[in-house]
Amino acid sequence: MNSRRDFIKLAGLAAAGAAIAPSFAFAAPAKIVGLQLYSLREELPKDLKGTIANVAKAGYKEVETYGYSVKDGYWGLDAKAFKALLTANGLTAPSGHYGMDKFISTGDQEELKSYIEAANILGSSHITVPYLGDNLRKAEGDWKNVADKLNEAAVLCKAAGLKLGYHNHNFEFIKYGETTGYEIMLKGTDPNLVDFEMDIYWVVRSGNDPVKLFTEFPGRFPMWHVKDMDKVDNTINTEVGTGTIDFKTLYKSAKLAGLKHLIVEQENFSMDPYKSIKQSADYVKKSIL
């Protein structure tokens, strides 16, 4: 800073940035680490309470749920009981993965309303779409319908104090001329209603650059799935920090992305799962956050 003129110029740029995108311009990026519970899908049905306790012992403060239904709740516990279990272990659940194919294909709100009720009991901020069935994404026009349905679902979520999120795999990056399903959704959804949970592994595996997406759609990615890519076989995950993805560099763009929740997920294990998730948590806290 060489002069008052420089200060005024920088202050003006900062103010302009805040005016353009006040939701993320000065937002502090995530500083705690969460775990997508799908990582422990083998352990959860066997010992729910023990598994949740081990997640907390491994150093996590947040979890992301999956697989909820009115019939089975969260691994046999209703939302209130599961919330109590999380609280007892010092955990919160800001997001959950809830299957949305039925709503997207038919517009039936019953299932979505049950998700909203459960998510509010948990104190979540997001209901996140985890996947899309093949029948919902066969052509470019299908993606436009998905975007419309995400907006509709997001309106219902907003009325209940929640936001809708969308979690990607790699099929979203299939080309339709000059566009992709991911781009159609990002451009076709209301940024005030629909957030995106970027699974960085899948973005990289599809040959795309996360930072390029952050730059083109700033503030749209408040949640990241952090899972590393095995150095030998890019179709499997490995502990964060031991693979090929440079998360340290990516985190430099956390503010641009609008990051609020950094969530570890791992689908393949070459060691004890609890040791694995602890190793990833330790690396994230020491070397990334």
Side-chain angles (χ1 to χ4, degrees):
M1 191 77 63
N2 295 321
S3 68
R4 185 171 181 273
R5 181 183 299 171
D6 291 332
F7 175 81
I8 292 170
K9 183 187 291 185
L10 288 174
L13 289 171
I20 293 168
S23 63
F24 73 93
F26 298 105
K31 286 296 181 183
I32 59 176
V33 59
L35 180 73
Q36 166 51 256
L37 291 176
Y38 185 75
S39 305
L40 299 174
R41 59 197 176 280
E42 300 294 330
E43 288 71 29
L44 283 162
K46 301 173 187 175
D47 181 8
L48 175 59
K49 292 182 179 180
T51 301
I52 296 299
N54 282 329
V55 169
K57 289 175 185 175
Y60 293 89
K61 294 297 183 182
E62 296 179 342
V63 296
E64 185 174 49
T65 67
Y66 75 95
Y68 173 83
S69 70
V70 172
K71 177 178 177 291
D72 298 317
Y74 298 98
W75 301 281
L77 294 184
D78 64 25
K80 289 182 180 179
F82 187 67
K83 166 66 172 175
L85 176 62
L86 294 180
T87 301
N89 286 279
L91 295 167
T92 60
S95 173
H97 280 191
Y98 297 90
M100 294 282 289
D101 279 15
K102 184 175 181 180
F103 178 83
I104 291 170
S105 61
T106 70
D108 189 319
Q109 297 180 7
E110 182 179 358
E111 192 174 59
L112 174 56
K113 287 179 178 178
S114 74
Y115 298 159
I116 289 171
E117 181 180 6
N120 271 328
I121 290 171
L122 293 192
S124 300
S125 60
H126 285 78
I127 284 177
T128 302
V129 180
Y131 188 78
L132 290 175
D134 293 349
N135 62 311
L136 299 177
R137 48 181 171 87
K138 292 181 178 179
E140 181 178 350
D142 293 338
W143 287 104
K144 293 176 180 177
N145 177 66
V146 169
D148 289 341
K149 283 295 193 291
L150 293 179
N151 282 326
E152 290 177 24
V155 169
L156 294 173
C157 289
K158 182 181 180 181
L162 297 162
K163 288 197 80 172
L164 190 75
Y166 181 91
H167 167 273
N168 66 280
H169 288 75
N170 61 349
F171 55 75
E172 290 87 352
F173 298 96
I174 294 170
K175 283 280 191 178
Y176 301 92
E178 295 300 313
T179 191
T180 66
Y182 206 52
E183 187 174 27
I184 291 168
M185 287 189 295
L186 279 160
K187 290 182 175 179
T189 53
D190 185 337
N192 294 310
L193 296 175
V194 180
D195 286 332
F196 285 77
E197 177 177 69
M198 181 182 283
D199 190 306
I200 292 173
Y201 165 85
W202 283 113
V203 171
V204 172
R205 183 170 158 183
S206 70
N208 287 274
D209 178 4
V211 176
K212 184 174 183 289
L213 287 162
F214 299 154
T215 303
E216 291 177 356
F217 303 98
R220 297 295 305 270
F221 306 95
M223 298 181 288
W224 293 3
H225 266 198
V226 171
K227 54 189 181 193
D228 218 335
M229 184 179 290
D230 187 83
K231 290 179 177 178
V232 177
D233 183 355
N234 73 353
T235 68
I236 62 175
N237 311 147
T238 188
E239 286 69 35
V240 181
T242 66
T244 62
I245 299 177
D246 184 359
F247 289 107
K248 289 183 183 179
T249 298
L250 285 176
Y251 190 73
K252 293 176 182 178
S253 298
K255 190 177 290 188
L256 177 65
L259 180 64
K260 295 178 181 177
H261 302 284
L262 188 152
I263 304 163
V264 170
E265 182 184 35
Q266 188 157 336
E267 298 172 337
N268 319 103
F269 294 102
S270 59
M271 65 172 74
D272 177 82
Y274 295 124
K275 291 181 180 178
S276 173
I277 64 168
K278 185 180 187 308
Q279 180 175 319
S280 289
D282 290 346
Y283 179 83
V284 169
K285 287 185 284 186
K286 180 180 179 181
S287 300
I288 299 178
L289 298 181

